[in-house]
Amino acid sequence: AQVVPCPLRFQVDARDPCSMVFQRSCTLRQLTNVAKPLLKFENDKAVLDPSGLSAIREIPGHIYPVILLGDGRAGKSYLASRILNLEGGIDVVVVPVRDLLPRDQHGHAGDAEECPEDMHMLLMDCEGGNNAIAAIRTLVNVFGILIGAEVIFVAGGCFSEASLANLAMTLAARSLVQLGSETALPEQRLVFVVNKNTLRYDSDALETALHVDTTDSGRRENRELVLRAFDERRFCTIGTIGSPHFEQEIDAFKDMVLRDRRPFKVGGALVRSADLVVMLRFIVEQIQTMSEVSLPSMSRVVLMDGFLMPLVERLLSEMEEELPPLDDYDADFDSNDGRPGKLAEFDREASHLTERGLVVEARAYLERRLDGDWMRRLQLNRALGEQVRDIIEESREVVTSKRWQRIGGRSLLASVTLTVFSVTTEVRSTAIKRKGATVYTPWASHATPVEQIKEEAFRNHRMRVPTLMGSLLKQSPCMWRKLVTGCSTPWQSRTCVVKEGHMIWWNPDTVTNGTQEVAGAINFLWNQTATVEPDIADPDAFEIRPGGGCEWEACDAFTGGSRRTFSFSVAQSQHTRTQWMNVIQQNIDWAKEARESLGPGDTRAQEERMHSEVSRERPTKAVAEYGTNWQATAAFAERCRTTRDPAVQRAPVRGGGP
């Protein structure tokens, strides 16, 4: 079989019977060149001819199968205009449907818009004969029942009871088709043609005959069989060649067949050429091996293999393409789950299928495949999430014991009791996974325990807080001394020490024994408002006073009252004014930290510890000097003590010390 580009047409003179015979012989001669055998019998065994199968396989689109059944020599080949009646089987011709449509004077097909371009009519001419139980006739009838969308039954000469019986016998092949609980035969239409007709029939002659009330059980069964088999039935008659209306009747017959065109479906699914080839082979094999055809099995071949499984594979492929590549852990991986959408798409595309059992089976298979593919990617994503992204080493200090210990010794803060912890350093590793989770190793001791003071300001405070000792000129606040010396601003040489949050001074001439108290001291732990500022008028002088207009909180260790300002000069000092002021400021700052550490965040606790542990009295010379390096300044201090130079005794020397 091959795709014929256009129908065969001949110009015939209806008045000349010889030309009519010539027309038919030419038609058969032309069809001999285009028709291919489909089903033949060799040694009583049915064989599908490769040439016919090849013609079907090459059909590019929708298929409109038309099968002609009926009596032998009833004129089926001539009526089809495309079929050659080869002895011993079914012959097939494939023709584009659009080429068969009637055309107007301009050559345009009347209803071509309603006909798909890729729809082809598959014309199958079956061997005639009235022996309905012959081997070939049985198989031909099964073909007609299963793959003929349009069944044309041709009766020769007249419409008789014998014609109805012959059609009923043809339909008896239904008993060879095994139906399932949800399986239905393909929808078919019947065109009952009385060819070579010499009688007059009304257009409803078939319906009248089928619904006639008869008491004969055989006739009644024949009619019921036809009524059940075909919901749509048409009837037409065609006269003999040369009759006045012969060509019009032929055209009406053609129009009837073409008007009924529709794609062939099984279970609601379109049957393509490859599916039809499989169906034909399946039918022949089933008839020869089992003498019956299992329609559910054939439906599985067509629907499952030809429609449902390709749909499943397409959806699986789309799902694979839509999922993003997993090169790294995806915290939002669940949002990519397209399984519900693919199942919903499957339901939409398979909703028209009537074989619901096959649809359920294919859907379950799709769901298993989707779940399997998704779970594999989900496990891969979880494995990526378990990979370690970073490792952080942590350490902590753990207190294993504590004790209380006074600073003691010759410290200015000897009575302060410190809390001493025994601290062990522990370490652990923190593994941060790609998914954000953290995994910790157990804490492990990293070093031997060390002791640590709770009050942070006192941790190694003698090294942290700078100490400075030297000579300074100090301005006296005593009025009588001003009168005796006759100087408005008498300056006195004093040995000064800055350490442990204190500013201490004494007269080196009068305080020579270590057990003697110093002349004065400012305890910055008690006097938190203390400030040290340079004297703007004197480049050698600086002042210590309570800041912010406040008073000294503790003035037990010096004279001059709670608002006194202390003036010092570095005119004869070993150190610069900047050095003295920096050390004093650092001691003031440390004193604030030290007082806070005695009771962090608890003013009442601070006050209690200050009164019980921090002295407000003047220290001794030995305590003041302890921990200082006086050797570098001893010679200069002695010189200041023994000199008789009034300038040294009375006022600072501009420009610095000796």
Side-chain angles (χ1 to χ4, degrees):
Q2 69 184 41
V3 176
V4 181
C6 61
L8 300 174
R9 294 186 176 89
F10 303 92
Q11 296 296 325
V12 181
D13 186 356
R15 295 170 298 179
D16 184 0
C18 293
S19 81
M20 292 291 184
V21 175
F22 176 75
Q23 176 195 16
R24 186 175 188 279
S25 62
C26 289
T27 301
L28 297 178
R29 193 177 304 114
Q30 292 286 337
L31 292 176
T32 302
N33 297 325
V34 298
K36 299 294 182 182
L38 178 61
L39 180 65
K40 299 189 297 184
F41 275 77
E42 298 176 357
N43 300 324
D44 294 330
K45 181 178 180 181
V47 177
L48 288 170
D49 193 278
S51 61
L53 290 179
S54 177
I56 295 175
R57 190 181 293 110
E58 293 175 1
I59 298 176
H62 298 166
I63 303 172
Y64 173 37
V66 177
I67 189 164
L68 286 92
L69 304 171
D71 298 336
R73 300 302 176 182
K76 297 187 302 296
S77 300
Y78 180 70
L79 294 179
S81 301
R82 294 294 183 272
I83 302 172
L84 176 64
N85 188 11
L86 296 178
E87 184 178 356
I90 296 177
D91 304 306
V92 60
V93 175
V94 178
V95 184
V97 174
R98 282 199 173 193
D99 290 345
L100 303 178
L101 298 176
R103 301 177 182 273
D104 56 21
Q105 58 182 352
H106 302 291
H108 301 298
D111 55 352
E113 293 77 7
E114 301 178 2
C115 179
E117 291 186 6
D118 61 350
M119 178 180 285
H120 286 68
M121 176 187 290
L122 177 63
L123 269 173
M124 291 173 287
D125 181 27
C126 300
E127 178 189 13
N130 296 330
N131 183 6
I133 61 174
I136 185 171
R137 186 58 181 267
T138 300
L139 190 54
V140 166
N141 292 343
V142 173
F143 266 50
I145 290 171
L146 294 181
I147 63 175
E150 190 88 353
V151 177
I152 301 175
F153 186 87
V154 181
C158 64
F159 179 30
S160 63
E161 188 65 34
S163 301
L164 284 178
N166 192 12
L167 175 59
M169 293 176 67
T170 300
L171 298 177
R174 284 173 173 265
S175 62
L176 300 178
V177 180
Q178 184 184 35
L179 298 176
S181 58
E182 298 181 355
T183 308
L185 288 168
E187 181 184 353
Q188 294 179 318
R189 292 178 180 142
L190 171 66
V191 177
F192 194 103
V193 181
V194 179
N195 193 27
K196 304 177 184 179
N197 178 49
T198 58
L199 303 176
R200 180 177 179 181
Y201 297 98
D202 293 332
S203 60
D204 60 348
L206 177 62
E207 296 301 314
T208 301
L210 292 176
H211 291 88
V212 69
D213 188 13
T214 178
T215 58
D216 187 286
S217 60
R219 294 184 177 186
R220 186 170 56 253
E221 289 178 2
N222 289 340
R223 284 160 171 77
E224 291 175 353
L225 192 60
V226 174
L227 290 172
R228 288 196 304 268
F230 304 104
D231 291 332
E232 295 186 40
R233 301 171 293 274
R234 300 177 186 273
F235 178 80
C236 69
T237 61
I238 301 175
T240 59
I241 296 177
S243 60
H245 303 291
F246 178 77
E247 290 300 327
Q248 291 86 342
E249 291 169 345
I250 289 292
D251 291 340
F253 166 70
K254 292 180 180 180
D255 181 67
M256 184 181 298
V257 174
L258 292 175
R259 195 183 325 122
D260 290 344
R261 64 184 180 274
R262 64 197 180 280
F264 183 42
K265 296 181 180 180
V266 171
L270 288 172
V271 177
R272 300 290 182 173
S273 57
D275 302 326
L276 184 56
V277 170
V278 173
M279 285 180 60
L280 295 174
R281 287 174 172 168
F282 180 85
I283 293 171
V284 172
E285 179 182 355
Q286 292 272 298
I287 285 292
Q288 293 188 148
T289 58
M290 301 173 57
S291 298
E292 66 178 17
V293 177
S294 173
L295 191 58
S297 299
M298 189 181 73
S299 298
R300 174 176 293 276
V301 171
V302 176
L303 296 182
M304 184 68 78
D305 299 341
F307 180 82
L308 291 173
M309 291 313 297
L311 174 60
V312 166
E313 293 301 328
R314 176 174 65 81
L315 294 176
L316 289 172
S317 178
E318 290 176 356
M319 179 74 172
E320 182 69 22
E321 293 176 358
E322 291 169 4
L323 288 174
L326 271 180
D327 299 326
D328 197 359
Y329 173 74
D330 185 359
D332 196 32
F333 181 76
D334 290 343
S335 65
N336 299 316
D337 189 358
R339 292 177 295 172
K342 294 305 175 186
L343 291 174
E345 185 175 351
F346 175 88
D347 293 340
R348 286 194 301 271
E349 297 199 22
S351 61
H352 64 287
L353 301 182
T354 58
E355 298 286 344
R356 303 314 298 174
L358 295 178
V359 174
V360 171
E361 180 182 343
R363 191 184 194 279
Y365 175 75
L366 172 63
E367 190 169 6
R368 289 195 303 271
R369 287 283 305 274
L370 288 173
D371 289 344
D373 294 346
W374 176 258
M375 290 306 300
R376 282 190 291 273
R377 294 183 68 88
L378 183 62
Q379 291 171 1
L380 174 59
N381 190 56
R382 289 174 177 173
L384 290 173
E386 292 296 326
Q387 293 181 356
V388 176
R389 183 186 65 201
D390 197 5
I391 296 179
I392 300 175
E393 299 291 339
E394 295 181 278
S395 64
R396 69 177 183 181
E397 294 181 343
V398 180
V399 176
T400 57
S401 63
K402 67 177 180 178
R403 60 186 178 86
W404 291 267
Q405 178 177 327
R406 294 176 61 190
I407 293 178
R410 296 185 180 182
S411 172
L412 294 172
L413 303 171
S415 298
V416 174
T417 301
L418 302 176
T419 304
V420 182
F421 294 125
S422 179
V423 178
T424 299
T425 300
E426 294 182 344
V427 296
R428 72 173 179 183
S429 297
T430 302
I432 302 176
K433 298 183 178 181
R434 292 182 182 272
K435 65 179 182 180
T438 54
V439 178
Y440 303 95
T441 60
W443 288 103
S445 179
H446 181 65
T448 56
V450 296
E451 290 192 334
Q452 189 176 95
I453 297 173
K454 175 185 177 182
E455 295 80 0
E456 294 184 8
F458 289 89
R459 293 178 184 174
N460 200 22
H461 72 284
R462 291 176 181 172
M463 298 296 295
R464 289 177 53 201
V465 185
T467 298
L468 189 62
M469 182 173 179
S471 294
L472 287 173
L473 298 179
K474 174 179 165 293
Q475 190 176 37
S476 175
C478 299
M479 295 300 296
W480 67 270
R481 188 179 299 277
K482 297 178 183 179
L483 296 174
V484 172
T485 60
C487 180
S488 60
T489 55
W491 294 87
Q492 303 155 350
S493 178
R494 293 290 183 263
T495 300
C496 297
V497 175
V498 183
K499 73 170 190 176
E500 294 184 302
H502 290 69
M503 175 69 178
I504 307 169
W505 63 90
W506 67 88
N507 187 343
D509 293 333
T510 58
V511 180
T512 58
N513 193 326
T515 59
Q516 292 179 274
E517 288 186 348
V518 298
I522 305 174
N523 187 332
F524 296 132
L525 276 79
W526 277 108
N527 297 291
Q528 295 278 290
T529 62
T531 61
V532 56
E533 299 175 356
D535 187 341
I536 299 177
D538 188 345
D540 293 328
F542 62 90
E543 296 176 340
I544 301 176
R545 62 163 62 94
C550 300
E551 298 180 354
W552 295 113
E553 182 180 353
C555 51
D556 309 66
F558 55 83
T559 60
S562 61
R563 294 183 179 275
R564 179 181 174 185
T565 296
F566 296 90
S567 298
F568 297 92
S569 174
V570 297
Q572 297 178 5
S573 177
Q574 306 92 326
H575 312 293
T576 65
R577 181 174 72 172
T578 299
Q579 289 175 319
W580 280 103
M581 291 179 64
N582 285 343
V583 173
I584 293 171
Q585 185 62 55
Q586 291 181 61
N587 274 263
I588 292 174
D589 295 340
W590 176 83
K592 294 177 181 179
E593 295 179 21
R595 181 163 179 168
E596 175 65 23
S597 67
L598 293 178
D602 190 344
T603 305
R604 182 175 179 181
Q606 289 180 18
E607 292 295 329
E608 290 178 356
R609 293 194 66 180
M610 286 291 294
H611 282 284
S612 62
E613 300 178 19
V614 181
S615 174
R616 298 160 60 107
E617 304 299 328
R618 299 172 184 173
T620 63
K621 176 177 179 292
V623 172
E625 289 180 330
Y626 181 75
T628 62
N629 184 10
W630 183 240
Q631 295 178 353
T633 59
F636 179 70
E638 179 64 20
R639 177 183 172 188
C640 291
R641 186 179 66 82
T642 58
T643 184
R644 295 289 183 256
D645 188 346
V648 175
Q649 294 285 342
R650 191 168 55 248
V653 177
R654 303 300 179 188

